[in-house]
């Protein structure tokens, strides 16, 4: 049962080298709920990272965060960040602002020669994401896009399984991620609903999970895509995509059929059906629930349970480890650009009812 | 737990009235493997039906089938059938020929005033399906298209659940059906691979399962569709659809994302994600494996196991019961025409990369 052995270990960090020493000091740019409730607590548990600087719209907001954490030595405004304030106090920048504001902070980080962990999606439009790539590529320090699924051992083992050929040739990938946005964040004025700040709501924010995970599992980028979007709640009228279904065709003939909704019941799953077997991860994407890998091939029917994984901790540890070990993170700015380009074009497809072509 | 009670009974035939008496005598038109291995054995166990006539391409082939079954009183050729041979020996006709040959037998059945159980898909093209509707509608006896999923209590209870509103408004339906055609029927010259006889391979033959079941669960017909097809094995080069992925948009905003493959590992599932819950049937469509209904709504996480259902028996019993009780079967020729029209246009969509519009 080599196959089962291969995916049975759903906790090992296969990227981690023993005896990696040192600490990467982070400036947190943007102090919204995700930074405060997910990122900073994750970094507190990290072996390789600590939070030393808080950056927000006002000194008061930044100080409020700083006061909660002993490790934070400086609380500065966005303007002060751009002016290079407290630059000696951090080695890397975590950018967790609205999507359309990632670019200026990445540009400043490039000017300052700081490593960057940029939240996904990388920017709000393909044009801005392209500019972000330019900034990242003139920066001697690495930029990593925070695809926390990619650091999760459950996803990584599944990728190993798919890449091993144990399922035969992949034919279909099917994924979904859904929950009620306005229950999670009860604010109808939030930036995710403003197309100028987000570039789109559901596809950009959670459709990206099945999308990027498909690319990651297949280790391939699509050639064609199409999508349709719908909305029921008035709050989604400006971006139009409360619900989105999209299909991506890959060069070797695999097709991904994915859905995402910020108005549907919470659910997440991804599955790969190959010529010789199928693997399904369900639940798949939410960090607060244990996941199960369901594997079916000739002669094997298996369910492998995996504990919860603090994906944000894994993400910070992975990037911190990369920086300390001098390794290049997998999801660089060009990897992030591909997703933003795909989604930008999928919105066009939804608007015009036509298949769009990609050339990656 | 009214909700669980509602779907817990996955064996009751909700269409069956007690004390329905009588027997419908069937002529089996087409004596291929499905008729011999699935239909005739199912009818042997039926409370309402029996097989009395075998119709095939030659007297020898028909007699071979007749010799295997005591109830079969006449063995005739297709030509003899068209001439009205043995018409006193049967009340209804089961049409199980290649798709593109359904029409002439339905037309003859109409001329003879015989009820018809026509295999799905109803015909090979929308144009021929339209002609079949005309024949069915001049026939005083009913025509039923053999959607065996629709007589399966597992699917029927799930439909009740969806229609009850317990999952809220349906947002996404996702379904798949796949297996290796050439393992099941090891013949590269079979009619399913000949576009003139089949109208298409995978979508027509098994893509129809998630397609029709989606329509049935939602009790709705789509307004728009799009598809892509792929093939790897040379045997599928003429129809082009070894693998198919299709998306259907419904008038109330629900979207179905479905896949089917005759080259992928055997798998089948269908799920409905609503605003307030999700139901998944997996396995879903193959008659020889027990199914499980997975239900998730606020406060309820349930798995309801269902025994295997002899769907062909349920189908014949349902239609026989309808005829004896004077009831109209659900899936009539117009219902079947909708599927053939959808699929016809989906093949166009796959060819041209464009969304197609429906007006049902």
């Amino acid at each position: 049962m080599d196959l089962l052995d291969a995916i049975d270990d759903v906790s090992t960090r296969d990227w981690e080298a023993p005896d990696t020493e040192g600490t990467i000091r982070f400036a947190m740019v943007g102090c919204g709920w995700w930074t405060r409730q997910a990122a900073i607590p994750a970094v507190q548990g990290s072996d390789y990272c600590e939070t030393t600087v808080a950056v927000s719209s006002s000194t008061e907001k930044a100080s409020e965060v700083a006061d909660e954490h002993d490790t934070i030595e400086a609380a500065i405004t966005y303007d002060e960040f751009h002016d290079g304030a407290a630059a000696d106090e951090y080695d890397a920048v975590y950018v967790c602002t609205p999507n359309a504001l990632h670019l200026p902070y990445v540009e400043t980080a490039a000017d300052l020669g700081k490593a960057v962990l940029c939240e996904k999606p990388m920017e709000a439009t393909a044009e801005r994401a392209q500019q972000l790539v330019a900034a990242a590529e003139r920066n001697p320090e690495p930029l990593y896009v925070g695809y926390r699924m990619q650091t999760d051992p459950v996803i990584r083992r599944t990728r190993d399984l798919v890449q091993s050929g144990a399922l035969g040739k992949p034919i279909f990938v099917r994924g979904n991620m859904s929950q009620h946005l306005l229950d999670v964040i009860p604010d109808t004025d939030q930036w995710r609903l403003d197309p100028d700040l987000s570039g789109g709501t559901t596809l950009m924010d959670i459709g990206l999970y099945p999308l990027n995970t498909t690319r990651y599992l297949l280790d391939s980028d699509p050639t064609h895509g199409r999508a349709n979007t719908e909305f029921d709640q008035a709050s989604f009228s400006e971006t139009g995509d409360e619900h989105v279904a999209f299909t991506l065709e890959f060069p070797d003939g695999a097709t991904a059929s994915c859905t995402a909704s910020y108005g549907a019941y919470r659910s997440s799953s991804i599955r790969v059906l190959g010529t010789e077997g199928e693997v399904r991860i369900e639940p798949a994407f939410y960090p607060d629930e244990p996941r199960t890998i369901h594997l079916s091939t000739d002669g094997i029917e298996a369910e492998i349970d995996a504990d919860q994984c603090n994906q944000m901790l894994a993400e910070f540890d992975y990037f911190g480890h990369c920086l300390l070990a001098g390794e290049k993170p997998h999801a660089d700015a060009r990897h992030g650009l591909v997703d933003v380009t795909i989604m930008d074009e999928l919105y066009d497809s939804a608007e015009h009812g036509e298949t769009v072509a990609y050339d990656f």
Side-chain angles (χ1 to χ4, degrees), chain A residues 96-112:
Chain A
C96 188
T97 59
N99 302 337
L101 301 176
H102 289 179
L103 176 58
Y105 301 107
V106 171
E107 286 180 329
T108 293
D111 293 339
L112 296 170

Side-chain angles (χ1 to χ4, degrees), chain A residues 103 106-107 110 118 122-123 125-139 141 143 145 332-338 340-341:
Chain A
L103 176 58
V106 171
E107 286 180 329
C118 181
M122 201 170 74
E123 249 291 347
T125 66
E127 188 183 347
R128 291 180 64 84
Q130 188 69 61
Q131 294 173 46
L132 195 149
V133 168
E137 294 191 344
R138 67 181 165 81
N139 188 349
E141 293 298 314
L143 179 142
V145 186
D332 61 10
R334 288 199 173 269
H335 183 89
L337 172 63
V338 170
V340 179
T341 303

Side-chain angles (χ1 to χ4, degrees), chain A residues 118-328:
Chain A
C118 181
E119 261 303 339
K120 62 189 184 315
M122 201 170 74
E123 249 291 347
T125 66
E127 188 183 347
R128 291 180 64 84
Q130 188 69 61
Q131 294 173 46
L132 195 149
V133 168
E137 294 191 344
R138 67 181 165 81
N139 188 349
E141 293 298 314
L143 179 142
Y144 172 55
V145 186
Y147 293 105
R148 54 192 163 85
M149 314 79 82
Q150 296 192 10
T151 54
D152 184 333
V154 170
I155 304 288
R156 294 177 75 88
R157 283 304 83 69
T158 303
R159 184 187 203 232
D160 293 343
L161 179 78
V162 172
Q163 293 298 321
S164 77
L167 306 179
K169 181 190 163 183
I171 303 299
F172 299 129
V173 182
R174 291 176 288 151
N176 174 68
M177 188 167 186
S178 57
Q179 67 177 345
H180 291 279
L181 174 62
L182 296 175
D183 287 353
V184 179
I185 308 172
D187 174 6
T188 56
D189 284 330
Q190 62 181 288
W191 64 264
R192 285 171 185 79
L193 299 165
D194 178 346
D196 293 336
L197 287 174
S198 65
T201 306
T202 302
L203 177 60
M204 293 291 272
D205 217 41
I206 56 173
L208 183 54
Y209 283 76
L211 189 169
N212 181 266
T213 305
T214 298
R215 289 178 58 211
Y216 188 67
L217 293 174
L218 297 182
D219 194 22
S220 183
D221 295 333
T223 59
H224 294 84
R226 51 189 196 275
N228 67 295
T229 58
E230 302 275 353
F231 73 96
D232 294 306
Q233 301 179 76
S235 303
F236 292 82
S237 60
E238 285 195 55
T239 58
D241 73 322
E242 181 180 355
H243 321 298
V244 59
F246 59 96
T247 307
L248 298 170
E249 297 170 49
F250 288 80
D252 61 356
T255 299
S257 289
C258 299
T259 52
S261 173
Y262 258 148
Y265 186 72
R266 177 167 155 156
S267 180
S268 79
S269 62
I270 192 159
R271 60 200 297 164
V272 180
L273 175 66
T275 52
E276 306 304 328
E278 185 168 34
V279 65
R280 171 169 61 95
I281 310 174
E282 183 162 10
F285 297 126
Y286 291 105
D288 61 353
E289 55 194 2
R291 277 80 39 77
T292 301
I293 301 174
H294 308 258
L295 173 65
S296 178
T297 71
D298 281 335
I300 297 178
E301 291 285 338
E303 297 202 351
I304 298 113
D305 291 322
D307 292 337
Q308 286 179 217
C309 168
N310 185 331
Q311 294 178 339
M312 286 303 285
L313 170 58
E315 173 179 309
F316 273 97
D317 269 354
Y318 170 75
F319 186 49
H321 183 276
C322 280
L323 295 176
L324 293 168
E327 283 166 11
K328 188 180 170 307

Side-chain angles (χ1 to χ4, degrees), chain A residues 43-121:
Chain A
V43 169
Q44 282 183 302
S46 169
D47 292 335
Y48 308 113
C49 306
E50 70 177 0
T51 303
T52 53
V53 177
V55 188
S56 192
S57 53
S58 68
T59 305
E60 290 69 32
K61 286 186 70 174
S63 296
E64 195 180 304
V65 175
D67 290 347
E68 294 168 3
H69 302 281
D70 290 345
T71 59
I72 301 184
E73 292 167 11
I76 62 177
T77 66
Y78 293 133
D79 286 343
E80 289 168 341
F81 173 79
H82 287 306
D83 290 340
D88 292 340
E89 306 293 330
Y90 61 93
D91 309 302
V93 173
Y94 174 60
V95 178
C96 188
T97 59
N99 302 337
L101 301 176
H102 289 179
L103 176 58
Y105 301 107
V106 171
E107 286 180 329
T108 293
D111 293 339
L112 296 170
K114 303 293 184 185
V116 181
L117 201 175
C118 181
E119 261 303 339
K120 62 189 184 315

